[in-house]
């Protein structure tokens, strides 16, 4: 039955994944889809998108210049003296490196390119033809993200792939060595290995302009006319220093046969005792901070292994799967051991069923031969050992004495062609899908005549062709995977539906539409799956072919049993929920207990920061950390066993506890004013109340930790195709809404829902924009009967009742398919989810503030946007224990800019781009690896943020607002009446709570909204 | 010798029996009787779980019955749920068990599993939230839209007209649980000789056989099943919460258990929540007694 459930859930998920996959689509494919030519009033990111949509792809470019001559002469060096810099009007005040044409790094004179603007070089080309372009770069230390640049020739982007050139950075682990020079890991308080921190280790790297998406092996060849040309390198992300720009002959590596012949003629085999073991977790360099040693518990013989503690014994896994990520190891060939070697490795590849994952092998920074571009690692659920080879042959390498490096980089290998073909086909199908959607809507009716043959004749012919193309791809995949599998079946399904739709009657198009949607959803998911080249490695062995040491894939029966038994026994003695300090605290130290509800990984990071920084600064405060379940705080407090500091408390909970006297007011502690200055006023508003009366003493119950708010996400490509700007006021929003709806697109609006407490925020934003407030009479009564609140509520309900915006929807899916190109959603969670969910859409979506309301009298636009926070609070027990001042020191320390910045960077390092952390510390938030344009949008937003006050009984508001809303949706009630009907119930609860809490108690229970708050 | 003296003497004589049931009795007192008494005490107070309770006598009860519309709604909903799902699921269990019992042993095992499966596999009822998803891609909405019966998706679990019926159907679907197994067990323990004897005595049809032989022979199981059915039908707020959210829209499927959770968990009014719990306790004891009385009539 459980299985049925899983199958059903999967079926559902698949059914709902509509058009997955690259919408880059709308750009690449056929010429039939040139964006509407625009008059000059399109601005900003939409204008950019229009430009991108006009690009051609590398395939087309290559064909265009198929007859051009390849340059074969010596390299042509570009004179750095011709460089000119243009900041393009971007704000140059906050950048980390300035443009500097005469910089010197590591003894190389170079040009520093900041993270904004573009630099242009002039170059004289002697002869028209195809050239490769290469340069050396130095990865200036900055944020934890790749360097990205756009490449132009004579002011134009030659083809789409060079819009986002990626240059990886160099990262090293800060290992600690014991007296013998071996690497040792620090231990945490529980005896588990602690991952060493990573830092950037810039060095000079040579780079040839090549495909950042990994579909095409080797460098690109660009066509240059004879005479003077310009080369422009435009910043997207991160500063970089470059030198030595050259135009040269497009080069190719020798084949393995040639390489083998060349080494075998000169050298002999390495001696039989040549055996060099490289533990994969001891990488010497990596391309990303996320490539770190991980713990494997699945096998008894992973080296090293420990049944009790978590030891770092392998590298890679789910973080080593994205195109271009590499790991490099160093090893030394001892004296007298030079000769011909083979390379073995122990690894696990259990992700891509029935197919290979591939790695490009570099020896000493070079791909030794053509075949090394795709070393294959087969599929198995267990660990495997294998020798590097291909075509049934073991690869041999020559190593002379001394130090060598070995680097493995993620590539698609022999899948690249298939993946790129599927992706292109999928793009086209998606486009056709959207065009049918625009004619017939999401659920077409097979009895209606939509006149498809008259309206989209080309598409119908194209569907037939695509069907044939897909069948061919499926055949190829069968050859690669050694027979039919689920992957080729997925492709066959799409091919079948397309064939039906193009060949049979017009009714079939409507009839098969739903099937097409679910099948291309599957296809997109499959593509994402096989594109993730996940591989985890235990060790690499470089040895002589004569060496007899046998490598084992897994332990024998007894080893495994013994390992499992010891693991089982140790599970009784290990406490994984508490994180005690590694250092012994002094005699007179105060110990504070800190509880958090966040994940294990995050707690480990906090713990590490406490040990490194807090303990050093506050030697007489010891910190004990514990992970607890969310509901534990109340019973623990009741029994007096509660913590001193609780982290990650929702703003409503903080006030709920505070009003019952369970939380201490932090405003009186030493250094509070400085602490408060680190936050935007909107972050403190929900925690601040006035006691006794609206002008009474202000108490602040907790310190903001994270802050989240709503923004409007939009698909640039769709807007470009429609030829409209992104709306900035609600008036404009309605115009766009009408336009989108007429083409069968949808728009996502936030529905008030009790299950999502922050969903009240959007409604309150509207109220504030209309000049209203949530409460009146200093928080004792609800102000939903005021004009502003009623207008806003009508506006909110009309989105669903008049404009038919969906109430329930999977936002990420529909945004990805393009079905819902405009969407209001919580900023940080949607951003994080979407960045990794739809990597293929990079650059084709953006976000901006939610629209504002124009004041009819003054003409000013109010962009008020409500934020909600999570807080850290000090529990009242701390005062009795005498640990409150120490607890406050902890809060103060944790919200420091440096600490928050470091934590945010560590999270990105740990979780990748999806690990963005919405710290409430404004400066730390800015310092995260945002792109320049994202940062601009965020800074704009920040100034308009507002917090709404929390009052006793406030939980009732969202509940009744939801009831009022569903009544208008279900029964067509008039929104304002429906809301007014609920007012008594809300006011009743507010009054009752106030009475209960104030009854016979002192002034500390009568919470009021400070006179200058709540938007008024 | 008074009764107390006699009791004391008997206890001393049988002390081993008392020692043997002491562990269970201690745990039962600590974790069942204790909390029941404690909540009876708290129901007379205002208690917010952070500060000491304040004694207010019967104010909570008077507010419950006189000043809390939502509670009365919850009582109504609970009774509707209990009256429909309790007996229906009880008789459903009984008759399905009776029919299955007639099947050959091997097939019986398979069929038993099929009927029992929904209730052992935990949150399997979530499948219904897929069928009745409010999205236009939910099965029910998609089919109805396909057939042109509706044009905009129905918010099944946010529309007071649909929430209750759907929840009742789902509750019935999951209700063939432990009592159903007990019935099958009970049916199999009946001595075959009794059926033969009854046939000799002039039983005319299967209904008479059921009433005069089968049921009287499995009274314990019937009682067990009834207790289970009652506690299930009063306490299945979990399913409503999982499907319709908490609180359900307009409190349309708000049961006593929900009301209790609302005050105890969300509003920190443990005193008031205890009063609700006490009332639920009384209702359950009452209906158990009633069922017990009814079962005594079986076979007569």
């Amino acid at each position: 039955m459980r299985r049925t459930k899983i199958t059903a859930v999967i079926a559902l998920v698949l059914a709902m994944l509509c058009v997955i996959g690259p919408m880059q689509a709308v750009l690449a494919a056929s010429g039939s889809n040139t964006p509407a030519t625009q008059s000059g009033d399109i601005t900003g990111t939409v204008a950019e998108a229009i430009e991108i949509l006009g690009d051609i792809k590398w395939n087309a470019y290559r064909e265009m210049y198929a007859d051009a001559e390849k340059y074969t002469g010596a390299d042509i060096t570009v004179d750095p003296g011709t460089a000119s810099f243009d900041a393009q009007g971007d704000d140059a005040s906050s950048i980390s490196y300035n443009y500097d044409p005469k910089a010197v790094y590591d003894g190389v004179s170079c040009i520093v390119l900041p993270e904004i603007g573009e630099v242009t070089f002039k170059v004289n080309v002697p002869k028209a033809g195809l050239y490769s372009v290469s340069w050396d770069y130095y990865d200036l230390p900055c944020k934890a993200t790749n360097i990205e640049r756009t490449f132009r020739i004579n002011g134009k982007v030659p083809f789409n792939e060079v819009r986002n050139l990626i240059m990886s950075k160099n990262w090293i682990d800060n290992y600690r060595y014991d007296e013998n020079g071996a690497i040792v890991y620090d231990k945490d308080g529980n005896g588990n290995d602690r991952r060493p921190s990573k830092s950037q280790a810039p060095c000079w790297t040579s780079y040839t302009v090549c495909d950042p998406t990994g579909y095409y092996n080797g460098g690109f060849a660009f066509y240059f006319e004879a005479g003077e040309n310009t080369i422009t390198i435009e910043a997207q992300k991160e500063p970089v220093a470059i030198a030595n720009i050259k135009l040269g002959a497009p080069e190719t590596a020798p084949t393995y046969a040639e390489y083998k012949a060349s080494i075998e003629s000169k050298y002999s085999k390495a001696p039989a005792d040549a055996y060099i073991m490289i533990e994969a977790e001891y990488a010497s360099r990596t391309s990303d901070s996320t490539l770190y040693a991980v713990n494997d518990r699945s096998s008894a013989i992973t080296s090293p292994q420990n049944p009790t503690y978590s030891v770092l014994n392998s590298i890679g896994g789910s973080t080593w799967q994205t195109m271009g990520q590499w790991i490099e190891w160093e090893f030394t060939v001892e004296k007298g051991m030079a000769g011909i070697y083979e390379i073995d490795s122990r690894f696990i590849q259990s992700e891509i069923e029935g197919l290979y994952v591939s790695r490009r092998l570099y020896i000493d920074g070079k791909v030794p031969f053509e075949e090394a571009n795709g070393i294959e690692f087969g599929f198995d659920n267990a660990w495997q050992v294998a020798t590097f080879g291909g075509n049934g042959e073991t690869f041999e390498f020559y190593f002379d004495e001394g130090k060598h490096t070995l680097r493995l980089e993620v590539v698609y290998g022999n899948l690249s062609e298939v993946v790129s073909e599927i992706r292109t086909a999928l793009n086209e199908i998606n486009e056709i899908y959207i065009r049918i959607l625009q004619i017939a809507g999401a659920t077409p009716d097979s009895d209606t005549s939509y006149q498809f043959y008259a309206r989209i004749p080309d598409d119908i012919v194209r569907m037939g062709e695509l069907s044939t193309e897909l069948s061919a791809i499926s055949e190829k995949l069968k050859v690669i995977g050694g027979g039919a599998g689920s992957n080729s079946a997925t492709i066959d399904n799409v091919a079948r539906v397309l064939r039906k739709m193009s060949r049979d009657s017009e009714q079939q198009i409507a009839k098969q539409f739903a099937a097409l949607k679910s099948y291309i959803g599957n296809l997109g998911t499959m593509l994402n799956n096989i594109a993730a080249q996940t591989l985890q490695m235990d060790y690499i062995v470089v040895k002589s072919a004569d060496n007899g040491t046998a490598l084992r894939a897994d332990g024998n029966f007894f080893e495994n049993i013994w390992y499992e038994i010891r693991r089982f026994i140790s599970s009784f003695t290990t406490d994984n929920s508490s994180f005690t300090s590694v250092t012994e605290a002094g005699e007179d130290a105060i110990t504070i207990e800190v509880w958090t509800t966040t994940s294990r990984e995050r707690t480990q990071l906090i713990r590490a920061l406490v040990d490194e920084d807090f303990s050093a600064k506050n030697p007489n405060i010891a910190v004990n950390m514990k992970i607890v379940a969310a509901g534990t705080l109340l019973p623990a407090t009741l029994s007096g066993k509660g913590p001193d500091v609780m982290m990650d408390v929702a703003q409503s909970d903080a006030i709920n506890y505070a009003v019952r006297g369970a939380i201490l007011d932090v405003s009186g502690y030493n250094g509070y004013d400085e602490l408060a200055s680190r936050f935007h006023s909107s972050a403190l508003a929900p925690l601040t109340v006035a006691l006794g009366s609206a002008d009474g003493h202000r108490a602040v119950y907790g310190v903001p930790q994270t802050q989240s708010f709503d923004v409007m996400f939009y698909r640039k490509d769709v807007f470009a195709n429609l030829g409209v700007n992104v709306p900035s006021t609600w008036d404009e929003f309605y115009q766009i809404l009408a336009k989108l709806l007429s083409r069968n697109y949808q728009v996502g609006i936030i529905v008030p829902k009790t299950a999502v407490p922050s969903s009240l925020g959007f409604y309150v934003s509207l109220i504030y924009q209309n000049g209203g407030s949530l409460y009146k009479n200093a928080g004792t009564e609800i102000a939903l009967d005021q004009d502003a609140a009623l207008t806003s509520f009508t506006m909110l309900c009309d989105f669903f009742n008049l404009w038919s915006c969906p109430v329930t929807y999977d936002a990420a899916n529909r945004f990805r398919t393009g079905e819902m190109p405009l969407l209001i959603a919580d900023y940080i969670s949607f951003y994080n989810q979407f960045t990794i969910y739809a990597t293929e859409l990079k650059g084709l979506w953006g976000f901006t503030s939610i629209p504002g309301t124009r004041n009819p009298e003054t003409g000013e636009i109010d962009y008020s946007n409500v934020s909600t926070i999570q807080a850290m609070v000090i529990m009242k027990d701390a005062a009795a224990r005498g640990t409150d001042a120490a607890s406050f020191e902890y809060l103060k320390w944790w919200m420091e800019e440096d600490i928050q910045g470091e934590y945010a960077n560590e999270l990105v390092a740990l979780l990748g781009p999806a690990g963005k952390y919405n710290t409430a510390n404004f400066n730390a938030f800015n310092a995260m690896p945002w792109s320049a344009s994202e940062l601009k949008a965020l800074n704009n937003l920040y100034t308009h943020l507002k917090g709404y006050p929390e009052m006793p009984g406030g939980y009732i508001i969202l509940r009744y607002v939801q009831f009022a809303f569903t009544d208008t949706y279900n029964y067509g009630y008039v929104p304002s009446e429906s809301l007014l009907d609920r007012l008594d119930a809300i006011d009743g609860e507010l009054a009752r709570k106030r009475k209960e809490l104030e009854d016979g108690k002192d002034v500390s229970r009568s919470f009021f909204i400070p006179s200058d708050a709540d938007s008024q | 010798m008074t009764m107390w003296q006699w009791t004391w003497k008997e206890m001393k004589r049988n002390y081993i029996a008392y020692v043997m049931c002491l562990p269970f009795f201690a745990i039962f007192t600590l974790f069942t009787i204790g909390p029941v008494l404690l909540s009876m005490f708290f129901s007379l107070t205002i208690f917010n779980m952070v500060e000491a309770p304040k004694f207010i006598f019967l104010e909570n009860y008077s507010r419950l019955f006189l000043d809390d519309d939502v509670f009365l709604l919850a009582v109504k909903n609970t009774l509707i749920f209990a009256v429909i799902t309790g007996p229906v699921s009880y008789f459903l269990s009984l008759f399905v068990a009776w029919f299955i019992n007639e099947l050959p042993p091997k097939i019986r095992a398979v069929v038993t599993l099929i009927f029992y499966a929904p209730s052992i596999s935990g949150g399997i009822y979530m499948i219904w939230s897929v069928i009745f998803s409010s999205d236009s891609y939910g099965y029910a909405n998609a089919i109805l839209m396909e057939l042109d019966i509706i044009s905009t998706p129905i918010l099944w679990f946010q529309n007071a007209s649909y929430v209750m019926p759907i929840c009742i159907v789902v509750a019935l679907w999951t209700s063939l649980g432990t009592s159903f197994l007990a019935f099958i067990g009970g049916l199999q323990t009946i001595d075959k000789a009794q059926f033969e004897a009854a046939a000799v005595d002039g039983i005319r049809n299967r209904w008479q056989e059921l009433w005069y032989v089968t049921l009287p022979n499995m009274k314990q199981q019937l009682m067990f099943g009834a207790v289970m059915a009652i506690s299930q039908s009063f306490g299945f707020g979990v399913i409503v919460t999982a499907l319709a959210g908490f609180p359900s829209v307009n409190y349309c499927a708000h049961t006593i258990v929900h009301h209790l959770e609302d005050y105890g968990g969300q509003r920190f009014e443990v005193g008031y929540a205890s009063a609700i719990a006490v009332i639920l306790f009384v209702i359950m004891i009452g209906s158990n007694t009633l069922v017990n009385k009814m079962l005594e009539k079986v076979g007569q």
Side-chain angles (χ1 to χ4, degrees), chain A residues 566-861:
Chain A
R566 287 190 299 161
R567 258 184 79 178
F568 178 67
I569 294 170
S570 73
S571 71
F572 289 98
T573 56
T574 324
D575 175 9
N576 282 319
S577 67
S578 76
F579 294 80
T580 48
S581 177
V582 273
T583 46
E584 289 287 317
E587 293 259 314
D588 50 353
I590 300 171
T591 304
I592 59 170
E593 189 89 0
V594 177
W595 285 11
T596 162
T597 52
T598 187
S599 68
R600 170 164 307 280
E601 288 81 9
R602 287 172 185 234
T603 313
Q604 269 164 346
L605 285 182
I606 302 175
R607 177 77 252 173
L609 284 170
V610 168
D611 286 342
E612 278 162 25
D613 202 82
F614 184 74
S615 303
K617 287 181 190 159
N618 302 280
N620 48 2
I621 303 175
V623 179
N624 275 338
M625 297 209 66
K626 216 172 236 170
I627 306 180
V628 295
T632 328
L633 184 60
L634 192 63
T637 310
L638 179 64
S639 62
K641 307 257 183 220
D644 298 301
V645 174
M646 183 76 196
M647 299 177 79
D648 321 305
V649 181
Q651 62 180 42
S652 54
D653 287 344
I655 289 300
N656 250 329
Y657 283 115
V659 78
R660 293 174 174 80
I663 291 178
L664 296 180
D665 171 12
V666 295
S667 67
Y669 288 95
N670 183 20
Y672 170 76
D673 290 339
E674 187 275 324
L675 175 62
S677 70
R678 300 176 199 161
F679 309 106
H680 189 259
S681 59
S682 60
L684 285 164
L687 300 173
T688 311
V689 295
L691 300 179
S693 73
D695 299 314
H697 169 70
R698 275 188 199 202
V700 180
Y701 291 103
V703 172
Q705 208 182 333
T706 63
Q707 187 170 18
S708 52
F709 44 89
D710 299 327
V711 299
M712 184 167 69
F713 291 92
Y714 59 94
R715 282 287 295 271
K716 293 178 189 174
D717 50 347
V718 174
F719 275 76
N721 267 324
L722 289 177
V724 288
N725 271 324
V726 179
S728 71
T729 64
W730 288 110
D731 294 336
E732 288 171 22
F733 188 85
Y734 287 124
Q735 286 172 15
I736 305 240
L737 194 53
K739 209 159 193 171
L740 289 173
L741 291 184
S742 71
R743 314 258 169 127
N744 283 315
Y745 287 115
Q746 296 172 335
V747 172
I749 302 282
I750 296 174
V751 187
K753 238 192 235 160
T754 41
V756 188
S758 63
S759 63
L760 182 63
F762 179 60
Y763 174 44
V764 182
S765 295
L766 293 181
I767 297 180
Y768 285 178
Q769 288 191 2
N770 282 308
S773 62
L774 186 59
Y775 292 98
K776 59 185 177 187
N777 295 339
T780 52
E781 275 174 80
I782 196 75
L784 297 184
D785 55 344
Q786 292 178 348
D787 261 2
L790 293 174
T791 317
S792 308
F793 190 68
T794 309
M795 198 172 150
L796 182 68
C797 292
D798 284 352
F799 283 125
F800 304 96
N801 301 335
L802 288 185
W803 297 95
S804 321
C805 293
V807 175
T808 311
Y809 52 91
D810 180 338
N813 254 321
R814 293 196 193 173
F815 191 62
R816 184 186 197 175
T817 60
E819 216 176 329
M820 184 179 274
L822 189 63
L823 166 77
I824 292 175
D826 175 56
Y827 172 54
I828 201 81
S829 56
F830 190 82
Y831 179 92
N832 276 348
Q833 182 193 7
F834 205 71
T835 313
I836 44 163
Y837 178 59
T839 43
E840 74 279 358
L841 287 179
K842 200 173 166 190
L844 286 179
W845 55 279
F847 61 84
T848 179
S849 161
I850 61 169
T853 303
R854 191 183 292 277
N855 184 324
E857 284 148 33
T858 61
E860 274 171 30
I861 302 172

Side-chain angles (χ1 to χ4, degrees), chain B residues 114-189:
Chain B
I114 291 174
F115 277 96
Y116 187 48
S119 70
I120 43 172
S121 28
I124 187 68
Y125 49 77
M126 287 310 290
I127 191 77
W128 292 84
S129 68
V130 173
I131 297 174
F132 290 104
S133 165
S134 308
D135 197 336
S136 53
Y137 296 124
Y139 287 117
N141 275 330
I143 291 170
L144 289 175
M145 286 168 91
E146 178 88 352
L147 298 175
D148 284 330
I149 294 172
I150 54 172
S151 57
T152 47
I154 296 177
L155 308 183
W156 297 105
F157 292 116
Q158 284 176 58
N159 189 326
S161 328
Y162 302 111
V163 175
M164 274 287 264
I166 296 177
C167 287
I168 288 175
V169 169
V170 176
L172 286 177
W173 183 69
T174 51
S175 66
L176 289 183
T178 342
S179 49
F180 162 72
L181 276 197
F183 291 155
I184 290 193
L187 285 167
Q188 285 175 21
T189 54

Side-chain angles (χ1 to χ4, degrees), chain A residues 19-55:
Chain A
V19 203
I20 294 222
M23 276 296 184
Q24 217 136 355
V26 196
L27 39 110
S30 50
S32 68
N33 197 38
T34 352
T37 30
Q38 292 308 323
S39 47
D41 59 348
I42 300 301
T43 54
T45 49
V46 175
E48 249 165 58
I50 291 177
E51 194 192 322
I52 297 174
L53 296 180
D55 283 351

Side-chain angles (χ1 to χ4, degrees), chain A residues 249-557:
Chain A
E251 64 177 90
T252 43
T255 63
Y256 177 63
E258 289 164 12
Y259 174 84
K260 191 178 172 189
S262 74
I263 59 170
E264 280 188 343
S265 62
K266 280 190 271 180
Y267 311 106
S268 57
K269 269 189 190 155
D273 57 343
Y275 181 88
I276 305 161
M277 168 88 164
I278 309 165
E279 286 289 355
E281 60 271 24
Y282 301 144
S284 60
R285 274 171 190 280
T286 59
S287 63
D288 290 79
S289 54
T290 48
L291 293 170
Y292 40 74
V294 292
N295 167 243
D296 169 70
R297 299 191 144 246
S298 65
S299 167
I301 66 157
T302 300
S303 72
Q305 185 61 284
N306 187 312
T308 313
Y309 303 114
S310 150
V311 289
L312 300 173
N313 53 12
S314 56
I315 196 163
S318 59
T319 56
W320 195 25
Q321 60 171 30
T322 315
M323 219 35 52
Q325 288 185 319
W326 51 259
I327 300 177
E328 189 174 275
W329 296 271
E330 253 179 32
F331 64 95
T332 311
V333 175
E334 300 293 334
K335 227 170 168 194
M337 292 294 188
I340 293 174
Y341 282 81
E342 59 171 47
I343 304 177
D344 298 67
S345 68
R346 180 167 186 271
F347 61 92
I348 184 163
Q349 193 278 97
S350 52
E351 295 291 325
I352 312 186
E353 195 162 356
L355 292 173
Y356 297 97
V357 305
S358 303
R359 292 292 182 270
R360 178 179 290 152
L361 172 70
Y362 292 85
I363 303 279
D364 299 328
K366 269 207 148 122
V367 182
F369 44 82
E370 183 63 33
E371 284 80 351
N373 275 314
I375 306 266
E376 291 171 345
F377 298 86
F379 169 83
D380 200 327
N381 280 317
W383 284 85
Q384 310 172 54
V385 286
T387 309
F388 287 1
N391 301 328
E393 205 176 357
T394 299
F395 291 151
E396 293 177 327
F397 306 87
Y398 170 73
F399 293 113
D400 57 9
E401 289 165 12
K403 277 207 162 139
H404 294 276
T405 64
L406 189 156
R407 175 188 291 193
L408 293 175
E409 178 185 304
V410 182
V411 288
Y412 285 126
N414 63 6
L415 278 181
S416 65
E417 200 184 337
V418 172
V419 171
S420 116
E421 279 173 3
I422 299 177
R423 187 151 281 186
T424 317
L426 188 57
N427 286 344
E428 266 194 74
I429 302 171
N430 275 332
E431 269 181 74
I432 297 173
Y433 172 84
I434 292 274
R435 277 198 286 277
I436 300 179
L437 179 89
Q438 290 188 8
I439 295 173
T443 44
D445 175 0
S446 54
D447 296 328
T448 310
S449 170
Y450 294 105
Q451 310 224 319
F452 291 120
Y453 288 171
R455 292 166 86 171
I456 43 166
D458 297 346
D459 285 344
I460 288 165
V461 176
R462 189 70 196 125
M463 281 197 277
E465 290 166 13
L466 279 168
S467 163
T468 324
E469 285 170 25
L470 283 174
S471 302
I473 298 174
S474 154
E475 285 309 313
K476 262 188 224 167
L477 201 59
K478 279 177 198 158
V479 173
I480 296 171
S486 60
N487 292 325
S488 57
T490 309
I491 302 176
D492 288 339
N493 279 338
V494 184
R496 204 183 56 238
V497 170
L498 284 176
R499 194 159 51 241
K500 261 195 194 157
M501 289 175 83
S502 70
R503 199 185 49 195
D504 300 352
S505 65
E506 214 162 41
Q507 275 80 15
Q508 278 296 334
I509 297 177
K511 229 179 207 168
Q512 299 292 332
F513 190 62
L516 177 69
K517 176 177 190 165
S518 80
Y519 284 142
I520 54 186
N522 298 354
L523 189 61
T525 309
M526 176 205 114
L527 193 61
N528 259 6
N529 287 346
I530 63 176
Q533 301 273 307
T534 309
L535 181 70
Q536 189 174 347
M537 274 203 162
D538 178 23
Y539 58 71
I540 296 171
V541 166
V542 180
K543 66 177 179 116
S544 164
D546 296 336
N547 189 289
T549 318
L551 302 175
R552 293 192 307 152
D554 212 341
N556 61 37
F557 178 76

Side-chain angles (χ1 to χ4, degrees), chain A residues 122-197:
Chain A
K122 291 197 182 90
V123 58
N124 225 324
V125 178
K127 204 167 108 188
L130 290 170
Y131 293 81
S132 72
V133 177
S134 61
W135 57 73
D136 295 341
Y137 72 91
Y138 186 80
D139 45 329
L140 300 167
C142 199
K143 297 173 181 174
T145 177
N146 282 327
I147 302 158
E148 283 183 30
R149 288 294 181 273
T150 299
F151 181 72
R152 299 174 199 270
I153 294 174
N154 298 330
K156 281 179 72 178
V157 174
F159 45 89
N160 183 263
E161 281 83 351
V162 295
R163 275 200 183 270
N164 281 73
L165 295 182
I166 290 177
M167 289 173 263
S168 58
K169 290 189 172 172
N170 287 274
W171 292 84
I172 54 165
D173 293 80
N174 301 318
Y175 292 123
R176 200 160 60 77
Y177 297 91
D178 65 7
E179 58 275 16
N180 302 324
I183 295 169
V184 283
Y185 290 121
D186 290 335
K187 308 273 184 228
D188 68 13
N190 294 338
N192 300 318
D193 280 356
R194 238 169 61 189
R195 198 160 54 74
S197 62

